[in-house]
Structure formats: C-alpha cells, structure tokens
Amino acid sequence: MLSLIYGPSKSGKTEYIFKLLKEKAKLKEATLLFVPEQFSFENERKLLEVLGNSDAIFAPVLSFSRLCDEIKRIYGGSAGTVIDEGLRLLILTKTLKSLKGELKYFKTSTANTVDTVNSVITEIKHSCINSEMLLEVSKKAPNTVLSDKLSDLALIISTYNAICVNAYIDPIDDLTFAYRKITDNNYFKGKTVIFDGFSSFSSQQYNIISAAVCQADRVIVSLCSDGKTDDQY
C-alpha cells in the first residue's frame, strides 16, 4: 500500500512520521526511513532521542547510497576496482580511442569531448537508459545529427560497459545493481518503508520506490506542497 503525506514546510509531516516510527518500534515491526544523504545523521540523532537505543534498531535511517552499501553487505557485491571520477575519464578516453573510425558525432576525441560524454553518460545511467534503447531511438530521430549522436552514445556506452565488466565497479550503477538484488531477494518484504525530505527522485531512485511498493507492507512518501492546504497532512 502506498500512502502520501503532503503539506507545506513545517506543517508536521516529519513529526507525524516519527510518531508512526515510534508506534512501529514498540510493536517491534521493521521500518526503514529513507532521507537525503545530507540529513541522515540529523535524523539518526533524532530517532535515538525519540525511540531510545533499544527501539531504534527497528527503524534504521537510510539514504540511497547507504541502501547500496547495505544491499552489497547482505547479498554480496561485484568484484573489481571502484571507479572514481578520474579513472572514469581515463576509461572513457580509452573507449573513444578504441572506437576511432566508427563514431560520427563524437569522432574527435578531445578533453572537452570526454568531459561531455562523461556528463551525458552519467545522466543517461541515472535515467535508467541503456545502449539498446538509445540505438532504437536513434533510428527514429528526425535528423541525421541527432541520429548520429544517439547511435554514437549507444556504441560508447556498450563499449565502456564491456571494458568495465569483471574489472571495474562504477558507482553510477550502484542503484541499478541494488534494484536487481532487491527484486531478486524480496528485500522490502514485511517492512514499512518511508521516504521523507526529498524534493525529487531520479529514475534509478523511482525504481527502488517501485520495488518497495511491490514488496513492502506499506510505503509512505512525504511530499512538500507549495502552499497551505486544508489538510496539512
């Protein structure tokens, strides 16, 4: 079951959530509280104040990055070197050089080209778009320039992934990896899952929420409205 809590800032949404967490903890029912990374410590501290040490174990605070770590801890992760920004640029440079003669839009491999491709691929992966989808769309593009750009990106992504497989771990793919493990292992089963403090979600994050809705006993999403409403939450 999916429930939405909405209202303007400081209308009592978070207080309502913590009251619910306290009730669930007293019944020893498992809950997960998802908050943005920058608010995780603050919410952990508040949760300890409200629930106490013994009950707080029933309501861990997670961010999406913490969830990825938790999934790897429970179900195991891929082996390989974790890619940082610098290493990703080096691998993309190698990718572009290996495709010399095959690319059309990105045929010139310069520092600016690599930075542009890195930025675009990051956004594409966050949006859960794969090379097959790009290639299919490229065939329907209204002009040659767009078609060339999309087909190039499809080729670059597939080649980049082939270089990384079994050797490197790209953190951009962590949520996609977590989603597969969550789906395969019913991670959210028997839990109440709450999302609070978010202003937006990426496609990867929406997939996690979708998995929670399918598996969990209840999912609650707190949303901030623009102005006052008749019912604050």
Side-chain angles (χ1 to χ4, degrees):
M1 180 176 68
L2 173 64
S3 302
L4 301 179
I5 303 173
Y6 65 93
S9 179
K10 301 188 184 302
S11 61
K13 300 185 297 298
T14 298
E15 286 72 16
Y16 171 81
I17 286 171
F18 272 82
K19 180 180 177 182
L20 178 62
L21 288 170
K22 187 173 184 178
E23 292 172 356
K24 292 286 186 181
K26 290 298 181 184
L27 296 172
K28 301 190 184 314
E29 296 181 2
T31 61
L32 297 174
L33 174 60
F34 280 85
V35 298
E37 186 76 40
Q38 65 269 29
F39 300 138
S40 56
F41 177 75
E42 174 186 338
N43 278 271
E44 281 184 329
R45 184 182 61 186
K46 183 175 181 180
L47 203 63
L48 283 171
E49 293 174 356
V50 173
L51 303 186
N53 290 333
S54 58
D55 286 343
I57 61 172
F58 295 103
V61 177
L62 292 175
S63 62
F64 282 105
S65 62
R66 285 188 179 187
L67 172 68
C68 293
D69 294 337
E70 178 73 358
I71 293 300
K72 290 176 184 177
R73 184 186 67 80
I74 296 173
Y75 304 117
S78 302
T81 302
V82 177
I83 295 174
D84 59 16
E85 188 70 11
L87 182 54
R88 184 182 297 111
L89 292 174
L90 288 174
I91 296 173
L92 281 173
T93 300
K94 179 180 179 180
T95 300
L96 292 172
K97 287 182 178 179
S98 71
L99 295 173
K100 188 177 180 180
E102 297 182 58
L103 301 177
K104 299 174 183 177
Y105 185 88
F106 294 106
K107 57 186 176 182
T108 304
S109 180
T110 65
N112 286 338
T113 304
V114 174
D115 286 338
T116 299
V117 169
N118 180 41
S119 177
V120 173
I121 287 180
T122 299
E123 188 62 33
I124 285 172
K125 290 198 170 195
H126 284 319
S127 300
C128 299
I129 298 171
N130 58 41
S131 57
E132 290 80 8
M133 295 165 67
L134 287 171
L135 191 58
E136 186 63 29
V137 173
S138 73
K139 298 174 183 177
K140 304 174 184 178
N143 57 70
T144 303
V145 173
L146 181 57
S147 177
D148 288 347
K149 185 175 184 178
L150 291 172
S151 60
D152 278 5
L153 286 170
L155 184 56
I156 291 168
I157 289 175
S158 61
T159 305
Y160 172 84
N161 288 340
I163 292 174
C164 290
V165 70
N166 298 326
Y168 300 103
I169 301 170
D170 194 338
I172 296 174
D173 298 320
D174 278 355
L175 274 176
T176 300
F177 175 83
Y179 172 71
R180 289 199 297 267
K181 289 293 185 180
I182 287 168
T183 302
D184 291 343
N185 295 279
N186 231 359
Y187 170 74
F188 290 118
K189 184 179 180 179
K191 299 180 176 72
T192 295
V193 185
I194 303 172
F195 298 88
D196 185 36
F198 293 92
S199 58
S200 63
F201 298 100
S202 69
S203 294
Q204 286 177 312
Q205 293 168 345
Y206 273 123
N207 279 346
I208 300 296
I209 296 172
S210 175
V213 171
C214 291
Q215 297 175 4
D217 290 348
R218 185 182 182 189
V219 175
I220 299 171
V221 181
S222 173
L223 302 170
C224 190
S225 62
D226 293 333
K228 291 185 178 180
T229 60
D230 293 335
D231 298 318
Q232 288 190 331
Y233 57 81

